[in-house]
C-alpha cells in the first residue's frame, strides 16, 4: 500500500481516537490544567503522532498505548474525586504565599517559587504594589488568587446602598428568524405577547429578526437581519 495512503488512514484513526478520548477525559481550560494533566496531554498527543507517522511498526501497538494512557488518566481522575488525600498528593493543593500582608518565604521555598514569579503574577492581576495584598494563594494549577486589603477593594452596590438590578442569562426567543416556542413557555409567555413586543420595536414579522433574547431585566433585545446603521463618513476602514 502507498505510504501516503497508510499515513492518511493512520491519521484518521488517531484523530478519531483523540476525539473520543478527549471527550472521555473531559474538557478543561489551559489555566485549569494541573502538572499531571499537562504531562498526560503531551504524552497522548505524542503517541497519536507516532501512530500516524511511524511506519516501522503496526498501528495497533500505538493504539493500545494510547488507550492505556487514557485509561490511566480516567483512573486517576476517579481516584482524586473519591479521595481527598489522593487529590492532595497527585494534583497538589493550594498554598498560602502572602498572609495578612506578609510574604511566607518558607512556603515559597518549598514550591521553588521565586519573588520574581510572585511579582509577575501580581502584575497580571493589575497589582504593582505588594503592600496592597492581604492574602495571596497559589492554586494547584499554578494560578495565583489574590485578595486585596479591605480598604483597597472596589466598592459594591451594597456598600453604597444602591439597589441592585437583576442579572442573568438571556433566553433566545427568536433564532435566525425562527421562534423558539419551548423558550417562550419557559418564561410563561406566548406568541401573541412576542408579536406585541416586536411591534413596539417596529418589527412586524419574526422572520425579519436574526436574534431576539429575553433578558433578566424583563426587556427584549432584538437584532434584525437588516439593521439601519448610520454611516459615519469620517470613519475610514482598514482597507
Amino acid at each position: 500500500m502507498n505510504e501516503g495512503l497508510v499515513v492518511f488512514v493512520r491519521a484518521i484513526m488517531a484523530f478519531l481516537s483523540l476525539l473520543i478520548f478527549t471527550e472521555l477525559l473531559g474538557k478543561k481550560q489551559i489555566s485549569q490544567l494541573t502538572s499531571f494533566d499537562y504531562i498526560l496531554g503531551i504524552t497522548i498527543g505524542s503517541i497519536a503522532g507516532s501512530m500516524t507517522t511511524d511506519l516501522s511498526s503496526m498501528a495497533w501497538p500505538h493504539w493500545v498505548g494510547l488507550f492505556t494512557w487514557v485509561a490511566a488518566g480516567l483512573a486517576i481522575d476517579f481516584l482524586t474525586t473519591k479521595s481527598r488525600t489522593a487529590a492532595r498528593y497527585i494534583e497538589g493543593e493550594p498554598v498560602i504565599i502572602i498572609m495578612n500582608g506578609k510574604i511566607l518565604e518558607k512556603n515559597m521555598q518549598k514550591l521553588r517559587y521565586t519573588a520574581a514569579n510572585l511579582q509577575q503574577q501580581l502584575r497580571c492581576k493589575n497589582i504593582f504594589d505588594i503592600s496592597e495584598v492581604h492574602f495571596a494563594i497559589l492554586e494547584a494549577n499554578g494560578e495565583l488568587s489574590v485578595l486585596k486589603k479591605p480598604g483597597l477593594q472596589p466598592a459594591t452596590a451594597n456598600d453604597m446602598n444602591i439597589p441592585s438590578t437583576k442579572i442573568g442569562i438571556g433566553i433566545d426567543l427568536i433564532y435566525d428568524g425562527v421562534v423558539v416556542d419551548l423558550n417562550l413557555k419557559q418564561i410563561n409567555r406566548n406568541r401573541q405577547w412576542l408579536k406585541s413586543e416586536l411591534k413596539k420595536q417596529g418589527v412586524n414579522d419574526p422572520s425579519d429578526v436574526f436574534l431576539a433574547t429575553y433578558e433578566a431585566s424583563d426587556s427584549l433585545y432584538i437584532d434584525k437581519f437588516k439593521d439601519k446603521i448610520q454611516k459615519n463618513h469620517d470613519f475610514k476602514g482598514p482597507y
Side-chain angles (χ1 to χ4, degrees), residues 50-229:
S50 298
M51 176 180 173
T52 301
T53 58
D54 185 7
L55 303 183
S56 63
S57 61
M58 299 179 66
W60 72 266
H62 296 285
W63 193 89
V64 171
L66 190 64
F67 177 81
T68 302
W69 271 89
V70 171
L74 289 173
I76 292 297
D77 282 344
F78 178 79
L79 181 61
T80 53
T81 55
K82 295 296 183 182
S83 171
R84 187 179 181 86
T85 303
R88 185 169 65 248
Y89 283 104
I90 295 173
E91 296 182 346
E93 59 183 342
V95 178
I96 298 175
I97 301 298
I98 298 177
M99 177 184 288
N100 296 323
K102 302 295 183 181
I103 298 176
L104 305 183
E105 293 84 359
K106 289 185 178 180
N107 287 357
M108 291 178 62
Q109 290 174 1
K110 290 178 182 179
L111 299 172
R112 294 186 293 278
Y113 188 75
T114 66
N117 297 143
L118 175 61
Q119 290 172 323
Q120 178 184 359
Q121 291 200 276
L122 286 176
R123 288 194 295 270
C124 290
K125 301 286 185 180
N126 293 322
I127 297 175
F128 294 84
D129 187 348
I130 298 182
S131 64
E132 297 179 3
V133 180
H134 188 45
F135 273 89
I137 300 175
L138 188 65
E139 306 293 349
N141 59 5
E143 185 76 14
L144 188 69
S145 300
V146 178
L147 176 66
K148 287 187 176 183
K149 292 181 178 178
L152 299 173
Q153 294 181 24
T156 65
N158 287 338
D159 294 331
M160 303 176 70
N161 295 320
I162 299 175
S164 58
T165 57
K166 294 180 180 179
I167 58 174
I169 299 174
I171 300 174
D172 295 345
L173 300 184
I174 300 177
Y175 186 87
D176 200 15
V178 179
V179 177
V180 185
D181 291 298
L182 185 62
N183 288 353
L184 271 173
K185 290 180 180 179
Q186 182 179 337
I187 62 172
N188 297 318
R189 299 291 193 276
N190 53 35
R191 287 202 176 210
Q192 191 63 34
W193 171 87
L194 179 61
K195 185 177 180 180
S196 174
E197 292 297 314
L198 291 176
K199 283 188 175 181
K200 289 179 182 178
Q201 300 194 37
V203 179
N204 296 318
D205 195 328
S207 62
D208 295 332
V209 178
F210 172 66
L211 180 67
T213 59
Y214 182 76
E215 306 297 333
S217 57
D218 295 330
S219 62
L220 190 66
Y221 168 81
I222 297 176
D223 182 87
K224 295 184 289 186
F225 283 105
K226 295 181 180 179
D227 293 311
K228 294 181 180 179
I229 300 175

Side-chain angles (χ1 to χ4, degrees), residues 29 40 46 139 217 237:
Q29 297 179 6
L40 179 65
S46 176
E139 306 293 349
S217 57

